[in-house]
Amino acid sequence: MSPSPSAGQPPVAARTAYAERLDLPWWLWLAGLVAAALLAVEIWMGASGVRAWLPFAVLLPATAAGLWWLGRIRVAVADAELRVDDARLPVRFVADVVPLDVAGRREVLGVGADPLAFVVQRPWIGGAVQVVLDDPADPTPFWVVSTRHPVELAEAVLAARDALRPAGRAAGEPG
């Protein structure tokens, strides 16, 4: 019997250091459903028979599905990776993480924004983090990710990165 690929390595427990879902606030759900209901009422007023209730049966569930889809993004730091929806960034490529408030996010994503940056931005969430990369093979200079807790996410990414470093090696030392 051949040894498994992980033979000789200590078992790594799947540990989540940070997890968050970028869901919509209640008031956006209310506004979206009210707008869909108003549109359905407008159509209902000009129709009779089956066409009278059909807008409610189609527009309200479609709006609810669309609102759920907008809030489906998950952000997590687990297993030495930063996970944003389907994107995964191994923390060994992270040079620095900068927590951003609303003004800082506006500056990073404003007029002078880098077109090669990876951005997952939700306008209803004020905070964000800028993850500066150190990977010569990747043209992406940094990631900008919306989060309700920028300091906690930054600390989790940096802690996961520092946990990968060999003992005794300082953060600024060449590897």
Side-chain angles (χ1 to χ4, degrees), residues 5-33:
S6 61
Q9 296 177 356
V12 178
R15 190 176 78 83
T16 302
Y18 181 88
E20 175 183 13
R21 183 171 171 202
L22 304 181
D23 51 356
L24 275 75
W26 67 269
W27 55 270
L28 272 177
W29 278 92
L30 180 63
L33 291 173

Side-chain angles (χ1 to χ4, degrees), residues 48-66:
S48 61
V50 146
R51 292 179 293 166
W53 61 267
L54 192 59
F56 294 99
V58 172
L59 287 175
L60 291 176
T63 301

